[in-house]
């Protein structure tokens, strides 16, 4: 009997592990010898909002009924990226000033893919850093994220993409 429980536990563990989402490792691609650490200012291209909804179902419990809730979430990628850069000492500017162009980078955001996972899908994003003075790419950061809603997917992907830039 004890052996049967051990086998059953092993099978259930393997099942749950195989259902876990597998996210790709964040990818940082440097273009040339420049890094974002050589810059002080950033201008971020405005992005739209990602709004998504999750809902729970009604579930009978004992003599009653549990009714789930609606959950609406909104994520603005440019705000999340700006917050991370500000937290790490960069100064956000509303426009590129020619006097500071050598120390200013332009930050762009894009959704670059969706990947099937065992429990749904993950969303991949790419963040691009461009020199304001030369219009050359400094680096790009790519990662995917998964969460309860698409807005969570985007937020998680952005956080995962930027984390390696500031992990030291």
């Amino acid at each position: 009997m004890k052996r049967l429980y051990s086998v059953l536990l092993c099978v259930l563990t393997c099942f749950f592990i195989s259902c876990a989402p597998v996210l790709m490792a964040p990818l940082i691609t440097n273009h040339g010898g420049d890094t974002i650490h050589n810059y002080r200012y950033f201008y971020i291209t405005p992005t739209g909002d990602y709004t998504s909804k999750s809902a729970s179902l009604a579930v009978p419990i004992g003599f009653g009924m549990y009714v789930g809730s609606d959950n609406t979430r909104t994520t603005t990628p440019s705000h999340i990226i700006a917050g991370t850069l500000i937290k790490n000492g960069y100064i956000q500017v509303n426009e590129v000033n020619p006097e500071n162009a050598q120390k200013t980078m332009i930050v762009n955001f894009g959704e670059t893919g969706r990947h099937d996972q065992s429990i749904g899908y993950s969303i991949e994003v790419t963040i691009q850093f461009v020199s304001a003075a030369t219009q050359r790419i400094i680096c790009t950061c790519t990662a995917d994220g998964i969460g309860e809603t698409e807005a969570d997917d985007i937020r998680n992907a952005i956080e995962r993409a930027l984390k390696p830039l500031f992990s030291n």
Side-chain angles (χ1 to χ4, degrees):
M1 190 65 154
K2 197 173 192 179
R3 184 177 176 104
L4 178 63
Y5 285 131
S6 296
V7 170
L8 184 59
L9 180 63
C10 183
V11 169
L12 287 174
T13 302
C14 290
F15 173 75
F16 286 116
I17 289 172
S18 69
C19 291
V22 179
L23 299 177
M24 69 175 193
L27 175 65
I28 307 290
T29 306
N30 290 311
H31 299 268
D34 209 0
T35 72
I36 69 164
H37 303 293
N38 295 336
Y39 294 83
R40 181 172 179 171
Y41 308 100
F42 72 94
Y43 169 80
I44 189 159
T45 307
T47 62
D49 295 339
Y50 283 84
T51 300
S52 52
K53 224 177 187 185
S54 68
S56 301
L57 299 173
V59 179
I61 298 176
F63 296 108
M65 180 77 72
Y66 170 76
V67 179
S69 62
D70 250 354
N71 211 1
T72 302
R73 295 199 177 123
T74 300
T75 297
T76 307
S78 58
H79 293 176
I80 298 167
I81 297 166
T84 301
L85 292 172
I86 291 167
K87 183 178 180 180
N88 284 283
Y90 294 90
I91 300 167
Q92 183 174 9
V93 295
N94 294 327
E95 61 183 28
V96 177
N97 182 340
E99 294 172 10
N100 294 328
Q102 292 293 337
K103 291 287 184 184
T104 304
M105 58 187 167
I106 300 168
V107 184
N108 300 309
F109 165 85
E111 180 182 327
T112 52
R114 292 174 186 244
H115 307 281
D116 288 331
Q117 300 287 340
S118 57
I119 57 172
Y121 60 89
S122 63
I123 296 178
E124 178 185 279
V125 302
T126 298
I127 302 164
Q128 179 187 63
F129 296 88
V130 178
S131 167
T134 65
Q135 301 298 301
R136 291 197 175 141
I137 298 173
I138 302 165
C139 73
T140 56
C141 308
T142 301
D144 55 353
I146 192 165
E148 189 177 321
T149 65
E150 282 193 4
D152 294 336
D153 295 351
I154 296 292
R155 176 181 294 278
N156 292 341
I158 291 169
E159 290 170 353
R160 291 185 71 241
L162 293 175
K163 187 175 182 177
L165 286 177
F166 306 108
S167 60
N168 293 339

